[in-house]
Amino acid sequence: MKEVSFIWVLLMLLRSSSSAVNPCCYYPCENSGVCVRFGPEDYKCDCTRTGFNGQNCTNPEFWTRIYLMLKPSPTVVHFILTHFKWFWDLVNKTFLRGTIMRIVLTVRNELVPTPPTYNTKYGYLSWESYQNTSYYTRLLPPVPEDCPLPMGTKGKLVLPDVIMLTERFLKRQKFRPDPQGTNLMFAFMAQHFTHQFFKTSHKSKGGFTKALGHGVDASNIYGEDLKRQHQLRLHEDGKLKYQLISGEMYPPKVSEVPVHMVYPEDLPAEQRLAIGQEMFGLLPGLSMYATIWLREHNRVCDVLKAEHPTWDDEQLFQTTRLIIIGEIINIIIEEYVQHLSGYNLKLTYDPSLLFNVRFQYTNRIALEFCHLYHWHPLMPDSFLIDGDEIPYSQFLYNTTVLVHYGVEKLVDAFSRQPAGQIGGGRNIHELVLRVAQTIITEGRSARLQPFNQYRKKFNLKPYASFSELTDDTEMAHGLEELYGDIDALEFYPGLMLEKTRPNSIFGESMVEMGAPFSLKGLFGNPINSPEYWKPSTFGGETGFSIVKTSTLKKLVCLNTKWCPYVDFHVPGKEEEAEPRKPLMEL
Ligand code: HEM
Ligand SMILES: *[C@@H]1O[C@H](CO)[C@@H](O)[C@H](O)[C@H]1NC(C)=O
Ligand SMILES: *[C@@H]1O[C@H](CO)[C@@H](O)[C@H](O)[C@H]1NC(C)=O
Ligand SMILES: *[C@@H]1O[C@H](CO)[C@@H](O)[C@H](O)[C@H]1NC(C)=O
Ligand SMILES: *[C@@H]1O[C@H](CO)[C@@H](O)[C@H](O)[C@H]1NC(C)=O
């Protein structure tokens, strides 16, 4: 045994003396400079258009210096946007609303490279990486293969055991509700919405996606490919197939629409619903949204058909799909992102804000975006519906829940039940802890760069220590012990364990890294381009107006018998007291 380890040490010594460490493993290039290796030991940083120069792109040019002096920190900007309500109420009524929204959008968009750059295979620009859309793109190249340590040159020789890491720092001890009042209606929207563009291909490892639309394409409603779409379509008046249960519209049975869906083997055939996204039988919250969008699609088809009696099935379908995409984007920006941001600035879905600035109407989903969106702490301990407490065992893959309660009662229940706080650690229900383990493991095989490298990429100061990352001293010590160096902390654990902002759902990094990807994906949609953003695209003023005035409440209540409490946050005091408005007032 002793000799073996002696020889091993000798070999390691020989190895390190004979082959130089790849200098890019030190991440020498600051401020988004690009590291290129020359010879065995040399490198150059390409600082072109970074505003910096010098060997490591660390010397600011004159105008950069001025800009940096004037630029407020994300903390200050966030504070201003989430305080001074009187000021923002004034802004809301003036042209300043649009002006500030434009600034928010352009500042965020500048952080997302377009055309896209790297992917999991290519840490340098390549045509293959650009044109092969089966890959998720990446903002930062992978950690070079030949680095001495898993995270580059810092930290320990082996990364912490994933099971131990998640059990200790991510597993829920006691349910901690989100202080922003986020509810399950929001959580299921998050999952439903993002699973149109996050569809990781698990059979082919290496950062591939099955979602080739790379954005808001409503493939979760219509299916990823044309074959599935045609199976789901009624081929009459542009509509989608459905089944009626006690006079109400639900997605059709798989026995009638034989598309591939993921269900447990023992689930009876008549309980299998056919939906655009094959995973959406997993949760009643997802099949509820699928039902709502199905009803909305067919409702809009009727509206269009009334105005365009000569249009064929195809044109009614295609135009309705564009309207549905517009509705989704509107609701996500003006209600979902609005809620999440906590901003007092009223966000506005007005694509014309970007018509006179440099902006490209294209998007490529990033692997980092997919990782950061693993918001499983949102999930509660059990589900409270109409006086019943339903455990996970009776909730997962149980499509009977949807039909048994109906859309109204589910919306009401999900809108009233608090979701968990995402950031701050120790809030993932045991049942989904495995998903956190998977994503950390995938982050390792994809060789994602350290959390601090991503902080820098998004113009945030890298953390100097674990105690700066989190106020929980026990956690800080534990992480220090496991990782050895704050610069070796991994991407996903960093996001989840960072201290949350006061009374907020998560910390600074999740917002500063998530918002650019999110807004680029929403506004980069072709329907927001000058060529598309006009009435004719949506079948005239009626359709255009459906897009521009869509709300979550209308989405639900124009498609249900009665209008439940519906919002992305749990009811506040005023709302509890507020009488239910009749449908006519919507
Ligand atoms: C009880 C509820 C949930 C269960 C059982 C669940 C389960 C899962 C599972 C099994 C995966 C695949 C993991 C893997 O093997 O890589 C996954 C992926 C994912 N989940 Fe969840 N999840 C739930 C709720 C949510 C919610 C509320 C969100 C909110 C955004 C979410 C976001 C994601 C994302 C972004 C992925 C990656 C998808 C992909 O890359 O294809 N999940 N989840
Ligand atoms: C650039 O970075 C390398 C590696 O981190 C370091 O050794 C070198 O001193 C730096 N050069 C300058 C000019 O700061
Ligand atoms: C913002 O202004 C619009 C009209 O410009 C008004 O309808 C809306 O209620 C205002 N919202 C807030 C939160 O003040
Ligand atoms: C993308 O790359 C993968 C891996 O090299 C390959 O299998 C696949 O065929 C490529 N896809 C396209 C559309 O070229
Ligand atoms: C499915 O949900 C229904 C309605 O809540 C319930 O009666 C039934 O027991 C559940 N099925 C399973 C297998 O848990």
Side-chain angles (χ1 to χ4, degrees), residues 28-34 44-71 110-111 456-460 462:
C29 310
E30 302 288 334
N31 301 301
S32 292
V34 178
K44 275 208 176 76
C45 293
D46 185 346
C47 312
T48 307
R49 286 182 288 276
T50 60
F52 292 82
N53 53 41
Q55 188 190 3
N56 300 330
C57 316
T58 45
N59 307 330
E61 288 160 7
F62 176 74
W63 287 111
T64 309
R65 208 179 287 273
I66 308 263
Y67 172 79
L68 290 179
M69 247 155 50
L70 298 175
K71 193 179 144 216
E110 272 169 18
L111 293 162
K456 290 196 263 177
K457 183 71 193 172
F458 285 92
N459 298 333
L460 303 169

Side-chain angles (χ1 to χ4, degrees), residues 298-469:
N298 287 351
R299 188 188 74 80
V300 172
C301 285
D302 284 335
V303 173
L304 283 185
K305 165 113 178 170
E307 286 199 355
H308 308 281
T310 63
W311 281 15
D312 62 2
D313 168 71
E314 188 66 17
Q315 192 166 7
L316 288 168
F317 171 82
Q318 298 295 352
T319 306
T320 301
R321 183 175 184 165
L322 291 182
I323 293 175
I324 295 294
I325 290 172
E327 287 191 52
I328 296 171
I329 298 176
N330 192 347
I331 292 171
I332 293 294
I333 293 169
E334 295 200 357
E335 296 184 75
Y336 176 101
V337 176
Q338 180 79 60
H339 165 76
L340 206 57
S341 69
Y343 290 173
N344 286 327
L345 166 70
K346 278 283 287 172
L347 301 182
T348 166
Y349 173 41
D350 179 1
S352 71
L353 288 173
L354 295 178
F355 288 175
N356 292 317
V357 303
R358 194 175 54 168
F359 182 76
Q360 297 195 35
Y361 294 94
T362 140
N363 190 50
R364 192 78 63 90
I365 297 294
L367 187 76
E368 294 96 338
F369 190 32
C370 179
H371 280 228
L372 76 76
Y373 231 117
H374 280 64
W375 291 354
H376 296 85
L378 287 170
M379 286 293 105
D381 289 342
S382 61
F383 300 85
L384 308 172
I385 306 171
D386 199 28
D388 302 329
E389 178 173 358
I390 306 178
Y392 278 92
S393 57
Q394 290 171 33
F395 198 69
L396 297 182
Y397 288 114
N398 186 347
T399 53
T400 312
V401 173
L402 170 66
V403 181
H404 176 82
Y405 294 100
V407 170
E408 293 84 350
K409 281 183 179 171
L410 285 188
V411 168
D412 198 83
F414 294 152
S415 297
R416 289 175 194 280
Q417 184 172 352
Q421 184 181 35
I422 295 171
R426 298 199 176 113
N427 206 19
I428 301 186
H429 190 276
E430 201 171 3
L431 196 119
V432 282
L433 197 61
R434 201 189 54 75
V435 186
Q437 290 156 4
T438 311
I439 199 64
I440 296 172
T441 308
E442 278 181 13
R444 290 177 186 180
S445 53
R447 306 185 65 81
L448 282 190
Q449 287 195 21
F451 180 60
N452 261 345
Q453 284 300 116
Y454 280 99
R455 295 262 310 163
K456 290 196 263 177
K457 183 71 193 172
F458 285 92
N459 298 333
L460 303 169
K461 219 165 108 295
Y463 284 118
S465 67
F466 287 97
S467 50
E468 201 189 332
L469 172 82

Side-chain angles (χ1 to χ4, degrees), residues 89 92-93 97 346:
D89 282 348
N92 176 40
K93 294 191 181 70
R97 182 184 179 199
K346 278 283 287 172

Side-chain angles (χ1 to χ4, degrees), residues 13 44-45 56 86 131 186 198 387 398 416 450 538:
L13 282 173
K44 275 208 176 76
C45 293
N56 300 330
W86 56 269
Q131 70 91 46
F186 178 96
F198 297 146
N398 186 347
R416 289 175 194 280
F538 307 95

Side-chain angles (χ1 to χ4, degrees), residues 121 128 131-132 134-135 208:
K121 180 165 177 195
E128 181 61 17
Q131 70 91 46
N132 190 333
S134 299
Y135 288 98
F208 292 101

